[in-house]
Amino acid sequence: MKQIWQGLRTSLSRTVCIFTATFFLLPAQTEAQGLIRDAEIERTLSLVSAPIFRAAGLSPSQVRIYIVQNPRMNAFVAGGNNIFIHTGMLRRLKTIDQLRSVIAHETGHITGGHMARRNEKLRQTRGVAGLALLLSVAAAVAGGGDAAIAGGAISQEAALRNFFNHTRVEESSADQAGLRYMIAAGADPRAAIEVMKLFSGQEILSASRADPYVRTHPLWSERIRLLEDKVANAPRAKPADPTEAYWYARMVAKFNGFIGRPDRTLRQYKNDKTEIGALARAVAYHKRPDIRKAMATVDSLIKARPNDPFYWELKGQFLLENGNAGQAVRAYRQAVALAPKEGLILGGLGRALIALDQPNATREALSILEKSRSLDKANPRTLRELAVAYARTGQNGRASLATAERFALQGRLRDASVHARRAATQLPEGSAGWRNAQDILSAADRASR
């Protein structure tokens, strides 16, 4: 454990970061190191996973699913009840139940306590520093180890690999538990074997060519044989839920639109006259960019579903990214009216108001961004906009603290310590903000040792 912890600490001290952001924060050249934040997609993942978590005896609110921007197929558990799934995995899976089988398997690792000893150090680290470490671990896995510990010793990469590798007993246990959860949730247990078969042929590939999921979840052929008899005798799955299928299709369309190349997405959905096809095309037009077609298409979606907050949010995003903050504010206001407790949507309205650069708008943005942060504490973009709002309203100490917290969440603890030290000199000693600054300074000091 000590060697593993040293490797992880080194990755932090080298300012390895994983950027938490909504889709529109991911530049086109961004490679595999980002977390994708999107209110609609996170809602869909909650809808899909809730039956699995309940079948496992977990409250859905106990488990957090993070989406890692990476084309490789992988999923893993880190830092307790946190499941990370690569976009490459989500885009490759064909059905809701295939996705549920991945979530069920990783839930089996959680309920089996397989990460308990390995996560001891992560659980001991609290607050912003703890989340920074957790996201740095995710970055290490997303990059196969090399990117997250660039410049480190080979032994550190090996430590990270050992940190995530599961034993034969753990894999079998998670398979059996996942199958039980799938059956209890009324999902099709055959989906578990379908997913396994996507990977089984990769066991003969070299480590550099195989998807990370093969390296951290080995023995695919053996596991398929062990499950086939039980799956054959399992009860029939419940009929597909039309609501779940609808939201799942929207999620896939969004992934294809935002992550895929626009021309490819437009060809893929060229003859799809459904709402789902229109959604994918709207995003592709926006990315091309063709703002006229993007706005016309998103407006057609809103006309069909005027009470859908996520379509209003999408319109606000399109407008804001094309420099029309005034109209973006109006679109985001409508989205917030329809979903007042969605932290990411509130953050979008706050960003649009900040973009207006007007005193009244800044004061309103400050209130909205503080509410957004109270609902979603792990969003560096909200902290960046909060820092701007605090600075514009003369609250320099709080602006420095928000900046320090943003850098800490990104794993940039050296930069975080500079702003935390500045905040500590400007905030009342003993106040909550002052104590937060001290926590960041302590975390930065430990990481530098």
Side-chain angles (χ1 to χ4, degrees), residues 40 246-247 249-258 265 269 272 274-285 294 297-298 300-301 310-311 314 318:
E40 177 183 342
Y246 167 75
W247 288 106
R250 277 182 55 162
M251 180 179 73
V252 172
K254 257 193 164 180
F255 276 129
N256 289 338
F258 276 106
T265 302
Y269 290 91
D272 187 339
T274 68
E275 176 188 349
I276 303 304
L279 172 58
R281 289 194 299 274
V283 177
Y285 287 137
T297 309
V298 78
S300 72
L301 294 170
F310 305 115
Y311 284 156
L314 193 65
F318 289 177

PDB file of all heavy atoms in Angstrom, residues 40 246-247 249-258 265 269 272 274-285 294 297-298 300-301 310-311 314 318:
ATOM      1  N   GLU A  40     -28.292  16.070 -18.484  1.00  0.00           N
ATOM      2  CA  GLU A  40     -29.190  15.076 -19.061  1.00  0.00           C
ATOM      3  C   GLU A  40     -28.581  13.678 -19.009  1.00  0.00           C
ATOM      4  O   GLU A  40     -29.246  12.702 -18.641  1.00  0.00           O
ATOM      5  CB  GLU A  40     -29.521  15.440 -20.504  1.00  0.00           C
ATOM      6  CG  GLU A  40     -30.405  14.417 -21.194  1.00  0.00           C
ATOM      7  CD  GLU A  40     -30.670  14.736 -22.649  1.00  0.00           C
ATOM      8  OE1 GLU A  40     -30.469  15.890 -23.070  1.00  0.00           O
ATOM      9  OE2 GLU A  40     -31.078  13.813 -23.375  1.00  0.00           O
ATOM     10  N   TYR A 246     -36.038   5.478 -24.391  1.00  0.00           N
ATOM     11  CA  TYR A 246     -36.026   6.817 -24.982  1.00  0.00           C
ATOM     12  C   TYR A 246     -34.831   7.630 -24.467  1.00  0.00           C
ATOM     13  O   TYR A 246     -34.065   8.202 -25.262  1.00  0.00           O
ATOM     14  CB  TYR A 246     -37.334   7.535 -24.654  1.00  0.00           C
ATOM     15  CG  TYR A 246     -37.315   9.015 -24.938  1.00  0.00           C
ATOM     16  CD1 TYR A 246     -37.401   9.502 -26.241  1.00  0.00           C
ATOM     17  CD2 TYR A 246     -37.208   9.940 -23.894  1.00  0.00           C
ATOM     18  CE1 TYR A 246     -37.380  10.860 -26.504  1.00  0.00           C
ATOM     19  CE2 TYR A 246     -37.184  11.295 -24.146  1.00  0.00           C
ATOM     20  CZ  TYR A 246     -37.264  11.763 -25.450  1.00  0.00           C
ATOM     21  OH  TYR A 246     -37.238  13.106 -25.698  1.00  0.00           O
ATOM     22  N   TRP A 247     -34.659   7.663 -23.141  1.00  0.00           N
ATOM     23  CA  TRP A 247     -33.575   8.462 -22.590  1.00  0.00           C
ATOM     24  C   TRP A 247     -32.211   7.866 -22.920  1.00  0.00           C
ATOM     25  O   TRP A 247     -31.236   8.602 -23.123  1.00  0.00           O
ATOM     26  CB  TRP A 247     -33.742   8.617 -21.079  1.00  0.00           C
ATOM     27  CG  TRP A 247     -34.871   9.547 -20.735  1.00  0.00           C
ATOM     28  CD1 TRP A 247     -36.095   9.223 -20.256  1.00  0.00           C
ATOM     29  CD2 TRP A 247     -34.867  10.975 -20.886  1.00  0.00           C
ATOM     30  NE1 TRP A 247     -36.865  10.346 -20.096  1.00  0.00           N
ATOM     31  CE2 TRP A 247     -36.143  11.435 -20.476  1.00  0.00           C
ATOM     32  CE3 TRP A 247     -33.934  11.904 -21.325  1.00  0.00           C
ATOM     33  CZ2 TRP A 247     -36.492  12.778 -20.482  1.00  0.00           C
ATOM     34  CZ3 TRP A 247     -34.276  13.248 -21.333  1.00  0.00           C
ATOM     35  CH2 TRP A 247     -35.537  13.667 -20.921  1.00  0.00           C
ATOM     36  N   ALA A 249     -31.501   6.305 -25.728  1.00  0.00           N
ATOM     37  CA  ALA A 249     -31.238   6.692 -27.117  1.00  0.00           C
ATOM     38  C   ALA A 249     -30.784   8.148 -27.206  1.00  0.00           C
ATOM     39  O   ALA A 249     -29.900   8.483 -28.008  1.00  0.00           O
ATOM     40  CB  ALA A 249     -32.496   6.465 -27.964  1.00  0.00           C
ATOM     41  N   ARG A 250     -31.367   9.012 -26.396  1.00  0.00           N
ATOM     42  CA  ARG A 250     -30.934  10.407 -26.378  1.00  0.00           C
ATOM     43  C   ARG A 250     -29.498  10.525 -25.897  1.00  0.00           C
ATOM     44  O   ARG A 250     -28.710  11.318 -26.432  1.00  0.00           O
ATOM     45  CB  ARG A 250     -31.868  11.245 -25.498  1.00  0.00           C
ATOM     46  CG  ARG A 250     -33.109  11.693 -26.228  1.00  0.00           C
ATOM     47  CD  ARG A 250     -34.032  12.564 -25.409  1.00  0.00           C
ATOM     48  NE  ARG A 250     -33.452  13.752 -24.824  1.00  0.00           N
ATOM     49  CZ  ARG A 250     -34.162  14.792 -24.376  1.00  0.00           C
ATOM     50  NH1 ARG A 250     -35.501  14.768 -24.469  1.00  0.00           N
ATOM     51  NH2 ARG A 250     -33.581  15.830 -23.838  1.00  0.00           N
ATOM     52  N   MET A 251     -29.144   9.755 -24.888  1.00  0.00           N
ATOM     53  CA  MET A 251     -27.767   9.788 -24.376  1.00  0.00           C
ATOM     54  C   MET A 251     -26.782   9.373 -25.467  1.00  0.00           C
ATOM     55  O   MET A 251     -25.756  10.035 -25.672  1.00  0.00           O
ATOM     56  CB  MET A 251     -27.635   8.868 -23.163  1.00  0.00           C
ATOM     57  CG  MET A 251     -26.228   8.837 -22.574  1.00  0.00           C
ATOM     58  SD  MET A 251     -26.063   7.781 -21.106  1.00  0.00           S
ATOM     59  CE  MET A 251     -26.147   6.163 -21.879  1.00  0.00           C
ATOM     60  N   VAL A 252     -27.082   8.293 -26.153  1.00  0.00           N
ATOM     61  CA  VAL A 252     -26.198   7.816 -27.214  1.00  0.00           C
ATOM     62  C   VAL A 252     -26.075   8.866 -28.317  1.00  0.00           C
ATOM     63  O   VAL A 252     -24.982   9.133 -28.837  1.00  0.00           O
ATOM     64  CB  VAL A 252     -26.710   6.482 -27.784  1.00  0.00           C
ATOM     65  CG1 VAL A 252     -25.910   6.080 -29.018  1.00  0.00           C
ATOM     66  CG2 VAL A 252     -26.638   5.385 -26.723  1.00  0.00           C
ATOM     67  N   ALA A 253     -27.199   9.490 -28.685  1.00  0.00           N
ATOM     68  CA  ALA A 253     -27.171  10.525 -29.728  1.00  0.00           C
ATOM     69  C   ALA A 253     -26.292  11.697 -29.315  1.00  0.00           C
ATOM     70  O   ALA A 253     -25.544  12.254 -30.132  1.00  0.00           O
ATOM     71  CB  ALA A 253     -28.592  10.996 -30.028  1.00  0.00           C
ATOM     72  N   LYS A 254     -26.375  12.071 -28.045  1.00  0.00           N
ATOM     73  CA  LYS A 254     -25.542  13.171 -27.565  1.00  0.00           C
ATOM     74  C   LYS A 254     -24.060  12.804 -27.612  1.00  0.00           C
ATOM     75  O   LYS A 254     -23.221  13.610 -28.023  1.00  0.00           O
ATOM     76  CB  LYS A 254     -25.946  13.549 -26.134  1.00  0.00           C
ATOM     77  CG  LYS A 254     -26.787  14.807 -26.041  1.00  0.00           C
ATOM     78  CD  LYS A 254     -26.877  15.284 -24.617  1.00  0.00           C
ATOM     79  CE  LYS A 254     -27.362  16.729 -24.592  1.00  0.00           C
ATOM     80  NZ  LYS A 254     -27.472  17.260 -23.221  1.00  0.00           N
ATOM     81  N   PHE A 255     -23.736  11.607 -27.156  1.00  0.00           N
ATOM     82  CA  PHE A 255     -22.350  11.166 -27.227  1.00  0.00           C
ATOM     83  C   PHE A 255     -21.844  11.187 -28.667  1.00  0.00           C
ATOM     84  O   PHE A 255     -20.765  11.697 -28.960  1.00  0.00           O
ATOM     85  CB  PHE A 255     -22.201   9.755 -26.663  1.00  0.00           C
ATOM     86  CG  PHE A 255     -22.048   9.708 -25.168  1.00  0.00           C
ATOM     87  CD1 PHE A 255     -22.847   8.875 -24.418  1.00  0.00           C
ATOM     88  CD2 PHE A 255     -21.114  10.493 -24.526  1.00  0.00           C
ATOM     89  CE1 PHE A 255     -22.708   8.823 -23.038  1.00  0.00           C
ATOM     90  CE2 PHE A 255     -20.963  10.448 -23.157  1.00  0.00           C
ATOM     91  CZ  PHE A 255     -21.767   9.604 -22.405  1.00  0.00           C
ATOM     92  N   ASN A 256     -22.633  10.626 -29.570  1.00  0.00           N
ATOM     93  CA  ASN A 256     -22.218  10.586 -30.969  1.00  0.00           C
ATOM     94  C   ASN A 256     -22.045  11.988 -31.538  1.00  0.00           C
ATOM     95  O   ASN A 256     -21.112  12.268 -32.291  1.00  0.00           O
ATOM     96  CB  ASN A 256     -23.228   9.799 -31.797  1.00  0.00           C
ATOM     97  CG  ASN A 256     -23.194   8.314 -31.502  1.00  0.00           C
ATOM     98  OD1 ASN A 256     -22.195   7.798 -31.015  1.00  0.00           O
ATOM     99  ND2 ASN A 256     -24.282   7.617 -31.773  1.00  0.00           N
ATOM    100  N   GLY A 257     -22.964  12.883 -31.177  1.00  0.00           N
ATOM    101  CA  GLY A 257     -22.899  14.242 -31.692  1.00  0.00           C
ATOM    102  C   GLY A 257     -21.713  15.026 -31.179  1.00  0.00           C
ATOM    103  O   GLY A 257     -21.002  15.694 -31.935  1.00  0.00           O
ATOM    104  N   PHE A 258     -21.471  14.949 -29.866  1.00  0.00           N
ATOM    105  CA  PHE A 258     -20.412  15.761 -29.273  1.00  0.00           C
ATOM    106  C   PHE A 258     -19.033  15.148 -29.431  1.00  0.00           C
ATOM    107  O   PHE A 258     -18.040  15.861 -29.548  1.00  0.00           O
ATOM    108  CB  PHE A 258     -20.694  15.998 -27.782  1.00  0.00           C
ATOM    109  CG  PHE A 258     -21.627  17.148 -27.522  1.00  0.00           C
ATOM    110  CD1 PHE A 258     -22.939  16.918 -27.138  1.00  0.00           C
ATOM    111  CD2 PHE A 258     -21.204  18.447 -27.657  1.00  0.00           C
ATOM    112  CE1 PHE A 258     -23.800  17.962 -26.888  1.00  0.00           C
ATOM    113  CE2 PHE A 258     -22.053  19.504 -27.411  1.00  0.00           C
ATOM    114  CZ  PHE A 258     -23.362  19.271 -27.023  1.00  0.00           C
ATOM    115  N   THR A 265     -21.227  11.978 -38.039  1.00  0.00           N
ATOM    116  CA  THR A 265     -22.519  11.968 -37.335  1.00  0.00           C
ATOM    117  C   THR A 265     -23.653  12.317 -38.282  1.00  0.00           C
ATOM    118  O   THR A 265     -24.715  11.688 -38.258  1.00  0.00           O
ATOM    119  CB  THR A 265     -22.491  12.963 -36.161  1.00  0.00           C
ATOM    120  OG1 THR A 265     -21.427  12.613 -35.267  1.00  0.00           O
ATOM    121  CG2 THR A 265     -23.803  12.948 -35.403  1.00  0.00           C
ATOM    122  N   TYR A 269     -26.836   9.812 -39.174  1.00  0.00           N
ATOM    123  CA  TYR A 269     -28.226  10.137 -38.839  1.00  0.00           C
ATOM    124  C   TYR A 269     -28.957  10.825 -39.997  1.00  0.00           C
ATOM    125  O   TYR A 269     -30.039  11.385 -39.795  1.00  0.00           O
ATOM    126  CB  TYR A 269     -28.267  11.039 -37.600  1.00  0.00           C
ATOM    127  CG  TYR A 269     -27.878  10.324 -36.328  1.00  0.00           C
ATOM    128  CD1 TYR A 269     -26.556  10.302 -35.894  1.00  0.00           C
ATOM    129  CD2 TYR A 269     -28.827   9.663 -35.554  1.00  0.00           C
ATOM    130  CE1 TYR A 269     -26.191   9.651 -34.723  1.00  0.00           C
ATOM    131  CE2 TYR A 269     -28.483   9.009 -34.379  1.00  0.00           C
ATOM    132  CZ  TYR A 269     -27.161   9.001 -33.974  1.00  0.00           C
ATOM    133  OH  TYR A 269     -26.805   8.356 -32.808  1.00  0.00           O
ATOM    134  N   ASP A 272     -32.404   9.455 -40.482  1.00  0.00           N
ATOM    135  CA  ASP A 272     -33.150   9.248 -39.233  1.00  0.00           C
ATOM    136  C   ASP A 272     -34.053  10.456 -39.003  1.00  0.00           C
ATOM    137  O   ASP A 272     -33.600  11.528 -38.615  1.00  0.00           O
ATOM    138  CB  ASP A 272     -32.175   9.075 -38.065  1.00  0.00           C
ATOM    139  CG  ASP A 272     -32.879   8.689 -36.770  1.00  0.00           C
ATOM    140  OD1 ASP A 272     -34.095   8.931 -36.657  1.00  0.00           O
ATOM    141  OD2 ASP A 272     -32.208   8.148 -35.867  1.00  0.00           O
ATOM    142  N   THR A 274     -36.402  10.731 -36.811  1.00  0.00           N
ATOM    143  CA  THR A 274     -36.943  10.772 -35.464  1.00  0.00           C
ATOM    144  C   THR A 274     -36.353  11.935 -34.670  1.00  0.00           C
ATOM    145  O   THR A 274     -35.412  12.613 -35.109  1.00  0.00           O
ATOM    146  CB  THR A 274     -36.634   9.465 -34.714  1.00  0.00           C
ATOM    147  OG1 THR A 274     -35.217   9.385 -34.477  1.00  0.00           O
ATOM    148  CG2 THR A 274     -37.085   8.246 -35.514  1.00  0.00           C
ATOM    149  N   GLU A 275     -36.897  12.127 -33.481  1.00  0.00           N
ATOM    150  CA  GLU A 275     -36.361  13.133 -32.566  1.00  0.00           C
ATOM    151  C   GLU A 275     -34.898  12.847 -32.231  1.00  0.00           C
ATOM    152  O   GLU A 275     -34.087  13.775 -32.128  1.00  0.00           O
ATOM    153  CB  GLU A 275     -37.205  13.130 -31.288  1.00  0.00           C
ATOM    154  CG  GLU A 275     -36.703  14.060 -30.202  1.00  0.00           C
ATOM    155  CD  GLU A 275     -37.454  13.864 -28.894  1.00  0.00           C
ATOM    156  OE1 GLU A 275     -38.506  13.160 -28.887  1.00  0.00           O
ATOM    157  OE2 GLU A 275     -37.007  14.408 -27.877  1.00  0.00           O
ATOM    158  N   ILE A 276     -34.566  11.574 -32.077  1.00  0.00           N
ATOM    159  CA  ILE A 276     -33.198  11.206 -31.718  1.00  0.00           C
ATOM    160  C   ILE A 276     -32.232  11.615 -32.829  1.00  0.00           C
ATOM    161  O   ILE A 276     -31.151  12.154 -32.575  1.00  0.00           O
ATOM    162  CB  ILE A 276     -33.103   9.691 -31.454  1.00  0.00           C
ATOM    163  CG1 ILE A 276     -34.090   9.265 -30.363  1.00  0.00           C
ATOM    164  CG2 ILE A 276     -31.678   9.293 -31.100  1.00  0.00           C
ATOM    165  CD1 ILE A 276     -33.925  10.013 -29.054  1.00  0.00           C
ATOM    166  N   GLY A 277     -32.616  11.377 -34.074  1.00  0.00           N
ATOM    167  CA  GLY A 277     -31.779  11.786 -35.189  1.00  0.00           C
ATOM    168  C   GLY A 277     -31.600  13.285 -35.238  1.00  0.00           C
ATOM    169  O   GLY A 277     -30.503  13.788 -35.526  1.00  0.00           O
ATOM    170  N   ALA A 278     -32.685  14.018 -34.977  1.00  0.00           N
ATOM    171  CA  ALA A 278     -32.600  15.481 -34.979  1.00  0.00           C
ATOM    172  C   ALA A 278     -31.654  15.983 -33.900  1.00  0.00           C
ATOM    173  O   ALA A 278     -30.884  16.931 -34.118  1.00  0.00           O
ATOM    174  CB  ALA A 278     -33.991  16.079 -34.791  1.00  0.00           C
ATOM    175  N   LEU A 279     -31.676  15.337 -32.730  1.00  0.00           N
ATOM    176  CA  LEU A 279     -30.774  15.735 -31.647  1.00  0.00           C
ATOM    177  C   LEU A 279     -29.314  15.551 -32.060  1.00  0.00           C
ATOM    178  O   LEU A 279     -28.483  16.452 -31.874  1.00  0.00           O
ATOM    179  CB  LEU A 279     -31.084  14.915 -30.394  1.00  0.00           C
ATOM    180  CG  LEU A 279     -30.115  15.072 -29.213  1.00  0.00           C
ATOM    181  CD1 LEU A 279     -30.030  16.523 -28.765  1.00  0.00           C
ATOM    182  CD2 LEU A 279     -30.549  14.176 -28.053  1.00  0.00           C
ATOM    183  N   ALA A 280     -28.995  14.401 -32.618  1.00  0.00           N
ATOM    184  CA  ALA A 280     -27.617  14.152 -33.048  1.00  0.00           C
ATOM    185  C   ALA A 280     -27.186  15.157 -34.112  1.00  0.00           C
ATOM    186  O   ALA A 280     -26.055  15.674 -34.081  1.00  0.00           O
ATOM    187  CB  ALA A 280     -27.487  12.725 -33.576  1.00  0.00           C
ATOM    188  N   ARG A 281     -28.087  15.446 -35.061  1.00  0.00           N
ATOM    189  CA  ARG A 281     -27.736  16.404 -36.124  1.00  0.00           C
ATOM    190  C   ARG A 281     -27.559  17.804 -35.558  1.00  0.00           C
ATOM    191  O   ARG A 281     -26.670  18.555 -36.004  1.00  0.00           O
ATOM    192  CB  ARG A 281     -28.811  16.387 -37.217  1.00  0.00           C
ATOM    193  CG  ARG A 281     -28.809  15.122 -38.061  1.00  0.00           C
ATOM    194  CD  ARG A 281     -29.649  15.307 -39.322  1.00  0.00           C
ATOM    195  NE  ARG A 281     -31.052  15.589 -39.008  1.00  0.00           N
ATOM    196  CZ  ARG A 281     -31.984  14.668 -38.784  1.00  0.00           C
ATOM    197  NH1 ARG A 281     -31.653  13.381 -38.826  1.00  0.00           N
ATOM    198  NH2 ARG A 281     -33.226  15.005 -38.522  1.00  0.00           N
ATOM    199  N   ALA A 282     -28.397  18.208 -34.604  1.00  0.00           N
ATOM    200  CA  ALA A 282     -28.279  19.544 -34.015  1.00  0.00           C
ATOM    201  C   ALA A 282     -26.882  19.744 -33.429  1.00  0.00           C
ATOM    202  O   ALA A 282     -26.236  20.782 -33.638  1.00  0.00           O
ATOM    203  CB  ALA A 282     -29.348  19.748 -32.951  1.00  0.00           C
ATOM    204  N   VAL A 283     -26.415  18.753 -32.680  1.00  0.00           N
ATOM    205  CA  VAL A 283     -25.092  18.855 -32.068  1.00  0.00           C
ATOM    206  C   VAL A 283     -24.002  18.856 -33.139  1.00  0.00           C
ATOM    207  O   VAL A 283     -23.037  19.621 -33.070  1.00  0.00           O
ATOM    208  CB  VAL A 283     -24.875  17.715 -31.058  1.00  0.00           C
ATOM    209  CG1 VAL A 283     -23.468  17.781 -30.478  1.00  0.00           C
ATOM    210  CG2 VAL A 283     -25.916  17.776 -29.940  1.00  0.00           C
ATOM    211  N   ALA A 284     -24.143  18.012 -34.149  1.00  0.00           N
ATOM    212  CA  ALA A 284     -23.152  17.959 -35.225  1.00  0.00           C
ATOM    213  C   ALA A 284     -23.091  19.292 -35.970  1.00  0.00           C
ATOM    214  O   ALA A 284     -22.000  19.772 -36.310  1.00  0.00           O
ATOM    215  CB  ALA A 284     -23.476  16.818 -36.181  1.00  0.00           C
ATOM    216  N   TYR A 285     -24.245  19.888 -36.238  1.00  0.00           N
ATOM    217  CA  TYR A 285     -24.249  21.207 -36.892  1.00  0.00           C
ATOM    218  C   TYR A 285     -23.519  22.236 -36.023  1.00  0.00           C
ATOM    219  O   TYR A 285     -22.768  23.075 -36.525  1.00  0.00           O
ATOM    220  CB  TYR A 285     -25.679  21.670 -37.140  1.00  0.00           C
ATOM    221  CG  TYR A 285     -26.411  20.943 -38.252  1.00  0.00           C
ATOM    222  CD1 TYR A 285     -27.749  20.554 -38.082  1.00  0.00           C
ATOM    223  CD2 TYR A 285     -25.794  20.654 -39.460  1.00  0.00           C
ATOM    224  CE1 TYR A 285     -28.439  19.889 -39.091  1.00  0.00           C
ATOM    225  CE2 TYR A 285     -26.474  19.997 -40.474  1.00  0.00           C
ATOM    226  CZ  TYR A 285     -27.792  19.614 -40.277  1.00  0.00           C
ATOM    227  OH  TYR A 285     -28.472  18.957 -41.283  1.00  0.00           O
ATOM    228  N   ALA A 294     -27.974  24.538 -36.720  1.00  0.00           N
ATOM    229  CA  ALA A 294     -28.009  24.061 -35.335  1.00  0.00           C
ATOM    230  C   ALA A 294     -29.180  24.667 -34.586  1.00  0.00           C
ATOM    231  O   ALA A 294     -29.932  23.958 -33.883  1.00  0.00           O
ATOM    232  CB  ALA A 294     -26.698  24.395 -34.631  1.00  0.00           C
ATOM    233  N   THR A 297     -32.579  23.376 -35.831  1.00  0.00           N
ATOM    234  CA  THR A 297     -32.865  22.007 -35.408  1.00  0.00           C
ATOM    235  C   THR A 297     -33.202  21.946 -33.931  1.00  0.00           C
ATOM    236  O   THR A 297     -34.146  21.248 -33.528  1.00  0.00           O
ATOM    237  CB  THR A 297     -31.668  21.089 -35.721  1.00  0.00           C
ATOM    238  OG1 THR A 297     -31.286  21.259 -37.091  1.00  0.00           O
ATOM    239  CG2 THR A 297     -32.035  19.637 -35.488  1.00  0.00           C
ATOM    240  N   VAL A 298     -32.453  22.666 -33.098  1.00  0.00           N
ATOM    241  CA  VAL A 298     -32.768  22.638 -31.668  1.00  0.00           C
ATOM    242  C   VAL A 298     -34.116  23.308 -31.401  1.00  0.00           C
ATOM    243  O   VAL A 298     -34.874  22.896 -30.507  1.00  0.00           O
ATOM    244  CB  VAL A 298     -31.636  23.264 -30.829  1.00  0.00           C
ATOM    245  CG1 VAL A 298     -31.660  24.786 -30.862  1.00  0.00           C
ATOM    246  CG2 VAL A 298     -31.712  22.782 -29.379  1.00  0.00           C
ATOM    247  N   SER A 300     -36.651  23.127 -33.357  1.00  0.00           N
ATOM    248  CA  SER A 300     -37.671  22.128 -33.701  1.00  0.00           C
ATOM    249  C   SER A 300     -37.844  21.116 -32.567  1.00  0.00           C
ATOM    250  O   SER A 300     -38.956  20.637 -32.310  1.00  0.00           O
ATOM    251  CB  SER A 300     -37.288  21.408 -35.007  1.00  0.00           C
ATOM    252  OG  SER A 300     -36.192  20.521 -34.815  1.00  0.00           O
ATOM    253  N   LEU A 301     -36.771  20.803 -31.880  1.00  0.00           N
ATOM    254  CA  LEU A 301     -36.862  19.907 -30.736  1.00  0.00           C
ATOM    255  C   LEU A 301     -37.645  20.553 -29.591  1.00  0.00           C
ATOM    256  O   LEU A 301     -38.470  19.906 -28.943  1.00  0.00           O
ATOM    257  CB  LEU A 301     -35.452  19.525 -30.259  1.00  0.00           C
ATOM    258  CG  LEU A 301     -34.618  18.677 -31.220  1.00  0.00           C
ATOM    259  CD1 LEU A 301     -33.171  18.588 -30.741  1.00  0.00           C
ATOM    260  CD2 LEU A 301     -35.216  17.279 -31.354  1.00  0.00           C
ATOM    261  N   PHE A 310     -33.660  20.118 -20.834  1.00  0.00           N
ATOM    262  CA  PHE A 310     -32.381  19.808 -21.434  1.00  0.00           C
ATOM    263  C   PHE A 310     -32.271  20.355 -22.855  1.00  0.00           C
ATOM    264  O   PHE A 310     -31.170  20.689 -23.305  1.00  0.00           O
ATOM    265  CB  PHE A 310     -32.145  18.301 -21.408  1.00  0.00           C
ATOM    266  CG  PHE A 310     -32.263  17.720 -20.026  1.00  0.00           C
ATOM    267  CD1 PHE A 310     -33.269  16.813 -19.719  1.00  0.00           C
ATOM    268  CD2 PHE A 310     -31.390  18.103 -19.025  1.00  0.00           C
ATOM    269  CE1 PHE A 310     -33.389  16.285 -18.450  1.00  0.00           C
ATOM    270  CE2 PHE A 310     -31.495  17.579 -17.740  1.00  0.00           C
ATOM    271  CZ  PHE A 310     -32.497  16.665 -17.458  1.00  0.00           C
ATOM    272  N   TYR A 311     -33.382  20.463 -23.567  1.00  0.00           N
ATOM    273  CA  TYR A 311     -33.342  21.086 -24.890  1.00  0.00           C
ATOM    274  C   TYR A 311     -33.146  22.596 -24.771  1.00  0.00           C
ATOM    275  O   TYR A 311     -32.432  23.208 -25.571  1.00  0.00           O
ATOM    276  CB  TYR A 311     -34.609  20.763 -25.676  1.00  0.00           C
ATOM    277  CG  TYR A 311     -34.653  19.355 -26.235  1.00  0.00           C
ATOM    278  CD1 TYR A 311     -35.864  18.725 -26.522  1.00  0.00           C
ATOM    279  CD2 TYR A 311     -33.476  18.645 -26.490  1.00  0.00           C
ATOM    280  CE1 TYR A 311     -35.905  17.431 -27.035  1.00  0.00           C
ATOM    281  CE2 TYR A 311     -33.502  17.359 -26.994  1.00  0.00           C
ATOM    282  CZ  TYR A 311     -34.722  16.760 -27.264  1.00  0.00           C
ATOM    283  OH  TYR A 311     -34.758  15.483 -27.772  1.00  0.00           O
ATOM    284  N   LEU A 314     -29.535  23.047 -24.019  1.00  0.00           N
ATOM    285  CA  LEU A 314     -28.739  22.869 -25.224  1.00  0.00           C
ATOM    286  C   LEU A 314     -28.774  24.125 -26.086  1.00  0.00           C
ATOM    287  O   LEU A 314     -27.750  24.562 -26.623  1.00  0.00           O
ATOM    288  CB  LEU A 314     -29.260  21.666 -26.009  1.00  0.00           C
ATOM    289  CG  LEU A 314     -28.379  21.141 -27.136  1.00  0.00           C
ATOM    290  CD1 LEU A 314     -27.061  20.591 -26.593  1.00  0.00           C
ATOM    291  CD2 LEU A 314     -29.120  20.052 -27.919  1.00  0.00           C
ATOM    292  N   PHE A 318     -25.568  26.464 -27.213  1.00  0.00           N
ATOM    293  CA  PHE A 318     -25.275  26.854 -28.597  1.00  0.00           C
ATOM    294  C   PHE A 318     -25.126  28.367 -28.705  1.00  0.00           C
ATOM    295  O   PHE A 318     -24.185  28.877 -29.331  1.00  0.00           O
ATOM    296  CB  PHE A 318     -26.391  26.395 -29.531  1.00  0.00           C
ATOM    297  CG  PHE A 318     -26.453  24.900 -29.769  1.00  0.00           C
ATOM    298  CD1 PHE A 318     -27.468  24.359 -30.554  1.00  0.00           C
ATOM    299  CD2 PHE A 318     -25.523  24.038 -29.218  1.00  0.00           C
ATOM    300  CE1 PHE A 318     -27.542  23.000 -30.796  1.00  0.00           C
ATOM    301  CE2 PHE A 318     -25.591  22.670 -29.443  1.00  0.00           C
ATOM    302  CZ  PHE A 318     -26.599  22.152 -30.232  1.00  0.00           C
TER     303      PHE A 318
END
